[in-house]
Amino acid sequence: MNKKITIIGSGFSALAASCYLAQSGYDVTIYEKNSTIGGRARQLKKEGFTFDIGPTWYWMPDVFERFFADFNKKPSDFYELIKLSPAYQVYFDKLDFVTIADNLDDIIVTFESIEKGSGKVLKQFMNEAQSNYNIAIKELVYRPGESPLELITLETAKKVNQFFSTISKDVRKRFKNKKLIQILEFPVLFLGAKPSDTPSFYSFMNFADFGLGTWHPKNGMYSVILAMESLAKALGVKIETNSNVEKIIVESGHAVGIEVNGKKIKSDIVLSGADYHHTETLLEEKDRQYSEKYWDNKTFAPSSLLFYVGFDKKIENVEHHSLFFDVDFDIHASDIYDDPKWPNEPLFYASFPSKTDENSAPEGKEAGIFLVPIAPGLNDTLTFRELYFDKIITRFEKLTNQKVKENIIFKESFCVNDFIKDYNSYKGNAYGMANTLLQTAFLRPKLKSKKVKNLYFTGQLTVPGPGVPPSLISGKLVSDLIEKYQK
C-alpha cells in the first residue's frame, strides 16, 4: 500500500510538492483551511471585477516552465502568458516617470538618455547578473539547504566577494543618477530585504527583471494556481477545503497524523506548506525546533496594506504595473526594518490588470490594486487603512495628473490582521523571511524537522525563500527530501 501524505495548506509550494509526491506514487491529500485553494494567491471577484489578492508579478518564466516540464507539460497547456510591453513604469514626480521596456536593448537606451555612459555600464552589470542567475536559479536554489557545502562550487568560489558586498554598494559604485539607482535596487525588494542588506550576488534579480521580462497570465496569477490544481488532481491528489488543521499528532517522536476540524486523520508523513511558525504551534513545545525568541530575532520581509479598487472609468498615465518612488526610499525602508512603525510618506505600487486583461474589469472600467509595504506586526485598524488610502490616492492623482477619487465604485482592503486571520502568518508578514546573508540557504529554517520524524516543511519561510518561483522550487526540494529519507 502506498504511503499516505497529508499536506497542510494549498499555496504554490504545497501544490508543487503534492504534484511531485503523487507522481512518485504517494497517496496525497491537501487540507486547506480556507474555502478556496491558493494560499496567498487567491482571487477577489466583485461587481464584474477580478483581482489577484496576493502575487501580481510573473517573473522567472523559466522556473514555471521547468516545473511543468517535470510532468511533461508546458504552461501553455494550462494558461496563456502575455509579455508586458512596457514591463512597468516608475514615477518620481508629477508626470516624471521612467518607462522600463520589454527588452534589454531599449532599457540600455533609456539608461543612457538619463545618465551619459550608463548604457555601457548597465550592459556589463547585466552580463554579471545573468551569470549569477545561471548559477543561482539553475543550480544553487535547487539544493535543500541541509549543508553549507551546497553553496561551495567552482562558480561560487569565483564570486565569493559578492556575498560580502551588497546590492546597494554595487549599484551606487556604478551609477550616480538617483532614478537609475532606485530602479536597479527595486527587484531585490522581492527578496524581502533592504538593498543595503542584500548580497551583491542577488543581482540575478536584475536579470530576472531586465533580461527575462515581466509577464501576465491571462485571467491573473490565479490561473497558475488553477493549472497546478488541475495537474495535481490528474496525478491523483485529493484536496479538502474548509479543513482547518488544529494539531499535528506525534507519537514516539514520529508524526502520525493531523487533527482537522476536530477529527483525527492518520498519515505516514505530514508536510506543511502553511506558515512555518504557525505549523510549529500545532506541535507540543518539546517537539518544536525553533523558539519564540528565534522567530523574534529574524528579519522578516514586509507585510502589506493592500487595496482592491473598482473604478468607473479607464485610468490614464499608468501601465499595468506602476511604481511610485516620489518619496524617500531610505526613510520608508527604515520604518519597515530598523524602527518598525507606520511610515509617514510611503512608497507604493499600483497594478491595473485591466490594462492587459479585459476579463479583469467590465468594459470601460478599471481594476486597480494598490500596495503599501509596511513592517509586520503593526497595529492594524480601519482608521489607519483609511488614512493611508487617502494619502496614496491623493499622491496618485497629483503624480498622474488626473482625478480618480470620485470615480471609485468600491474598495476592499487587506492588511496585517487579514494575513494573520486568513494565512496564520507570523506577525502578519506578507512575503516570509528576508533573504539576507545570514538567512540564506542552510541558514534558513529546515525543510525536514530535526525533532519529529516524518514531519516536513515547505514554503517561503524555508528554502529557497520568498516569492512565487522560489515557492515552486521549495515544493520540489521537499518532495526530493521526502523521497531521500523515506527509501
Side-chain angles (χ1 to χ4, degrees), residues 18 61 223 234 276 282 333:
S18 78
S223 296
Y276 204 123
L282 303 178

Side-chain angles (χ1 to χ4, degrees), residues 10 12 34-46 48-56 79 216-227 229 308 353 357 359-361 367 369 410 412 414 422-423:
S10 64
F12 283 108
N34 293 312
S35 59
T36 57
I37 65 163
R40 286 164 164 78
R42 296 181 300 156
Q43 274 191 333
L44 167 66
K45 290 179 181 282
K46 185 170 181 175
F49 293 83
T50 302
F51 306 88
D52 280 315
I53 292 177
T56 54
Y79 53 87
H216 174 76
K218 193 166 179 61
N219 298 321
M221 288 293 286
Y222 201 65
S223 296
V224 187
I225 290 292
L226 295 177
E229 177 192 33
Y308 311 99
D357 197 332
N359 296 333
S360 296
I369 301 167
F410 66 84
E412 299 281 343
F414 199 95
D422 288 1
Y423 312 130

Side-chain angles (χ1 to χ4, degrees), residues 216 380 414 435 460 467 479:
H216 174 76
D380 169 20
F414 199 95
N435 252 338
Q460 57 189 11
S479 59

Side-chain angles (χ1 to χ4, degrees), residues 60-80:
M60 304 184 187
D62 51 321
V63 174
F64 294 85
E65 288 162 11
R66 182 166 171 174
F67 167 75
F68 285 108
D70 284 341
F71 305 93
N72 297 314
K73 299 288 184 183
K74 303 186 295 291
S76 58
D77 293 331
F78 300 97
Y79 53 87
E80 179 187 343

Side-chain angles (χ1 to χ4, degrees), residues 139-140 143 147-157 163 442:
E139 293 181 49
L140 295 186
R143 296 176 181 179
S147 161
L149 297 178
E150 293 171 7
L151 294 178
I152 301 170
T153 69
L154 205 57
E155 296 301 322
T156 56
F163 287 92
F442 66 97

